[in-house]
């Protein structure tokens, strides 16, 4: 690395751009600032964090159900990192539109992509395109107040199928079956409350292809189902099958043991006569069902009328095989929640089969498999949408470690001055938001919740509202930028 001023010195810090301000991006920035090279004074760094949304936190804000209290702890941890002042936040900046890879290379010595995965994985069965067939990730974006999705959601079905046995599937099923008034204690936007309040739903069915010992959700997610008021959970004895691998998992994995114990306790306590259950809504958990077809009927052509499954059985290894027995369920909506999938980024190589940026431990590769100097990836766009949020820290550590190993051979930014990026965005008319802008928006959302509480609740329901999330992008940007202007 050659420069008139040593890159990484006090006079010329190593300039790093991180694209994506969810946990993956924030963790990478934090780990870099706390690296031994930086702590020892051997290296100085200057980090800018970019996000296409006006607010930070990525899928923590727009991909997790609002009634998850533990998420507040993660938000608090991310807040502490960004509030230190040594990492700049640029919100409402879209990579590929507002900034190109050439721009980033001009202003930064290294770029870390941490753009995550926001799309639904495909489910290729007949009828998936019918009206009433939805992606679970799209629904999550709606109820989390994502600024780029429509304000309304078609909640017209009385009977709903949710396909998947992971945490997102349970989130979707819980929100669909939960009474809207019970969500007012969360940061749920008003348009989402209104939509859920008008929902005529009576039954939500969750389907998994394998058995109870193979579910992918966590014990906490499972227990949260039982906290919904006026919602009965229903299980079916014929779905409780355990093979040799199931027994091994139960004996060796505490999480599996806990979940199977919870499920078997529930079904043991369940009355034999289901008519004794008196809740106005029911959440059904089904196992050993593989989706075959979503279909319409003569009365509602083009719209979901039901879904067909093949019953499965475990094969001794924990995997499932078809039995040749088929069952139908009359439903008017189907939500697929079988995983997320990454999105391609302009001018960056992309693996369309895996939904990730090709990389070697976080070093981004080109079409020939060669590392692209100065370009890195972390989080779900690096390894795919697997693992919990905690796994992202180790993932970021690996990427940052390689970046630091490469620092003597990084391509040197030609315009590294910190103010140059601000001037570039201003010159292009990009209405970017800042960390101070997020603090203003955060305070505004908290004030909305306090006002609703002081007024005696919200929507005629007396409940303390901690915050009410602002949804329209233009409002988020205006509140953020006006709040900063008012402080100047």
């Amino acid at each position: 690395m050659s420069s008139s001023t040593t890159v990484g010195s006090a006079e010329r810090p190593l300039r790093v751009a991180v694209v994506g301000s969810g946990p993956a991006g924030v963790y990478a920035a934090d780990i870099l600032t706390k690296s031994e090279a930086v702590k020892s004074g051997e290296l100085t760094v200057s980090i800018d964090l970019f996000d296409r949304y006006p607010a930070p936190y990525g899928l923590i804000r727009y991909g997790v159900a609002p009634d998850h209290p533990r998420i507040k702890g993660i938000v608090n941890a991310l807040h502490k990192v960004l509030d230190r002042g040594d990492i700049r936040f640029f919100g409402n900046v879209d990579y590929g539109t507002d900034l190109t890879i050439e721009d980033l290379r001009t202003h930064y010595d290294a770029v870390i992509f941490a753009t995550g995965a926001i799309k639904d994985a495909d489910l290729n069965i007949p009828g998936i395109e019918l009206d009433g067939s939805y992606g679970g990730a799209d629904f999550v974006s709606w109820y989390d107040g994502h600024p780029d999705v429509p304000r309304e959601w078609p909640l017209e079905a009385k009977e709903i199928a949710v396909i998947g046995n992971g945490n997102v599937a349970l989130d979707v099923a819980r929100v669909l079956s939960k009474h809207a008034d019970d969500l007012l204690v969360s940061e749920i936007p008003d348009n989402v409350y209104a939509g859920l309040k008008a929902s005529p739903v009576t039954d939500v069915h969750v389907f998994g292809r394998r058995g109870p010992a193979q579910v992918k959700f966590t014990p906490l997610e499972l227990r949260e189902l039982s906290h919904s008021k006026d919602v009965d959970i229903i299980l079916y004895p014929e779905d409780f099958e355990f093979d040799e691998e199931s027994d091994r998992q139960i004996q060796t994995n505490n999480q599996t043991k806990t979940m199977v114990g919870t499920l078997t306790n529930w079904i043991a306590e369940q009355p034999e006569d289901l008519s004794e259950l008196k809740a106005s809504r029911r959440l059904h958990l089904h196992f050993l069902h593989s989706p075959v077809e979503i279909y319409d009927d003569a009365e509602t052509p083009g719209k979901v009328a039901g879904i067909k499954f093949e019953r499965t059985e475990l094969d001794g290894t924990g995997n499932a095989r078809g039995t040749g027995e088929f069952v139908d369920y009359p439903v008017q909506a189907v939500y697929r929640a079988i995983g997320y999938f990454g999105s391609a980024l302009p001018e960056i190589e992309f693996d369309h089969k895996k939904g990730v940026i090709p990389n070697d431990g976080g070093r981004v590769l080109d079409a020939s498999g060669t590392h692209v100097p100065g370009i890195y990836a972390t989080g779900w766009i690096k390894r795919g949408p697997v693992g919990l949020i905690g796994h992202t820290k180790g993932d970021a550590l690996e990427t940052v470690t390689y970046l630091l190993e490469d620092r003597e051979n990084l391509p040197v930014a030609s315009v590294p001055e910190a103010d140059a990026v601000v001037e570039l965005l201003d010159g292009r008319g990009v209405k970017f938001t800042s960390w101070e802008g997020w603090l203003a928006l955060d305070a505004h959302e908290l004030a909305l919740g306090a006002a609703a509480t002081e007024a005696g609740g919200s929507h005629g329901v007396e409940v303390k509202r901690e915050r009410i999330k602002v949804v329209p992008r233009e409002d988020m940007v205006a509140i953020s930028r006006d709040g900063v202007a008012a402080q100047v």
Side-chain angles (χ1 to χ4, degrees):
M1 182 183 291
S2 62
S3 176
S4 57
T5 303
T6 303
V7 175
S9 66
E11 298 81 16
R12 167 62 165 89
L14 180 72
R15 291 279 286 148
V16 179
V18 180
V19 181
S21 68
V26 176
Y27 289 153
D30 186 41
I31 289 170
L32 182 54
T33 63
K34 294 178 179 177
S35 64
E36 190 59 38
V38 172
K39 288 194 298 183
S40 68
E42 175 189 348
L43 176 72
T44 61
V45 294
S46 171
I47 304 172
D48 288 344
L49 195 63
F50 295 93
D51 203 292
R52 64 179 299 188
Y53 308 127
Y57 308 144
L59 276 182
I60 293 297
R61 181 172 169 93
Y62 293 122
V64 179
D67 57 345
H68 274 326
R70 74 181 188 277
I71 297 305
K72 293 178 183 177
I74 299 173
V75 168
N76 290 339
L78 300 179
H79 178 99
K80 288 179 180 178
V81 172
L82 296 180
D83 202 43
R84 294 196 310 249
D86 57 345
I87 300 167
R88 290 196 302 182
F89 172 71
F90 290 85
N92 202 42
V93 178
D94 187 22
Y95 167 75
T97 303
D98 301 319
L99 283 178
T100 66
I101 191 65
E102 182 180 355
D103 296 326
L104 293 176
R105 282 197 171 284
T106 298
H107 297 280
Y108 300 92
D109 308 303
V111 180
I112 302 175
F113 286 99
T115 51
I118 60 172
K119 291 183 178 179
D120 284 284
D122 290 335
L123 178 62
N124 295 316
I125 61 173
I128 197 68
E129 77 290 343
L130 288 174
D131 183 10
S133 172
Y134 309 110
D138 291 336
F139 182 61
V140 172
S141 292
W142 174 74
Y143 67 58
D144 270 333
H146 194 295
D148 297 337
V149 302
R151 302 287 183 269
E152 308 301 322
W153 189 272
L155 290 164
E156 301 160 351
K158 290 185 177 182
E159 300 158 302
I160 300 171
V162 178
I163 302 172
N165 256 182
N167 284 343
V168 175
L170 288 199
D171 277 351
V172 168
R174 191 181 66 256
V175 172
L176 284 168
S177 60
K178 201 168 187 175
H179 291 277
D181 288 351
D182 295 329
L183 286 166
L184 282 174
V185 294
S186 73
E187 60 184 27
I188 185 173
D190 283 342
N191 66 297
V192 175
Y193 170 82
L196 292 171
K197 181 71 172 178
S199 170
V201 65
T202 59
D203 293 82
V204 177
H205 300 261
V206 183
F207 295 95
R209 188 174 57 86
R210 296 187 290 172
Q214 287 77 42
V215 296
K216 295 297 185 182
F217 45 75
T218 60
L220 180 59
E221 285 278 351
L222 183 61
R223 286 194 298 270
E224 285 183 353
L225 292 184
S226 63
H227 297 161
S228 295
K229 299 175 184 177
D230 191 34
V231 180
D232 283 326
I233 299 173
I234 299 177
L235 300 109
Y236 298 88
E238 63 269 24
D239 290 346
F240 280 71
E241 178 182 310
F242 302 94
D243 62 357
E244 293 178 10
E245 177 60 21
S246 300
D247 293 337
R248 188 193 70 80
Q249 283 288 101
I250 293 169
Q251 293 170 11
T252 60
N253 187 299
N254 285 333
Q255 178 166 302
T256 302
K257 182 179 181 180
T258 298
M259 287 190 293
V260 170
T262 299
L263 290 167
T264 52
N265 285 339
W266 284 358
I267 198 168
E269 296 167 359
Q270 182 174 288
E272 289 188 19
D273 183 359
L274 296 181
S275 66
E276 295 179 19
L277 300 173
K278 300 300 183 184
S280 65
R281 294 179 177 179
R282 292 160 292 281
L283 199 161
H284 309 254
L285 298 180
H286 303 270
F287 307 104
L288 303 173
H289 284 69
S290 181
V292 173
E293 177 189 9
I294 303 170
Y295 55 86
D296 57 4
D297 59 24
E299 293 184 10
T300 58
K303 293 188 175 183
V304 172
I307 183 168
K308 181 188 294 291
F309 290 90
E310 182 178 12
R311 290 305 308 259
T312 61
E313 61 184 6
L314 299 178
D315 64 2
T317 69
N319 291 312
R321 61 192 172 204
T323 65
E325 176 190 353
F326 297 89
V327 289
D328 288 82
Y329 292 85
V331 297
Q332 300 82 51
V334 175
Y335 291 76
R336 64 187 183 279
I338 57 173
Y340 284 86
F341 201 79
S343 301
L345 297 169
E347 301 182 88
I348 301 295
E349 190 66 24
F350 191 72
D351 186 330
H352 290 274
K353 289 184 178 180
K354 297 180 180 179
V356 299
I357 296 174
N359 68 92
D360 180 10
R363 290 179 169 124
V364 170
L365 307 176
D366 62 18
S368 67
T370 302
H371 175 219
V372 182
I375 307 297
Y376 301 85
T378 192
W380 280 3
I381 200 65
K382 167 188 172 183
R383 59 186 166 86
V386 293
L388 301 176
I389 292 171
H391 295 106
T392 306
K393 286 187 178 180
D395 197 43
L397 177 60
E398 179 184 51
T399 295
V400 170
T401 298
Y402 280 128
L403 188 158
L404 291 172
E405 285 182 7
D406 298 339
R407 69 181 185 269
E408 296 299 326
N409 299 302
L410 294 173
V412 178
S414 59
V415 187
E417 292 78 16
D419 290 343
V421 174
V422 177
E423 293 173 3
L424 176 68
L425 293 172
D426 280 338
R428 291 178 178 172
V430 179
K431 294 183 177 180
F432 63 88
T433 61
S434 63
W435 178 247
E436 292 73 22
W438 160 245
L439 295 179
L441 177 58
D442 184 38
H444 180 83
E445 292 184 344
L446 291 170
L448 291 177
T453 301
E454 187 175 345
S458 184
H459 303 283
V461 180
E462 292 188 11
V463 62
K464 181 179 180 181
R465 301 203 66 183
E466 183 172 341
R467 76 163 66 227
I468 299 176
K469 190 180 287 185
V470 174
V471 180
R473 179 184 286 267
E474 58 273 19
D475 291 354
M476 296 173 67
V477 172
I479 293 165
S480 299
R481 291 173 66 89
D482 289 351
V484 173
Q487 297 171 23
V488 175

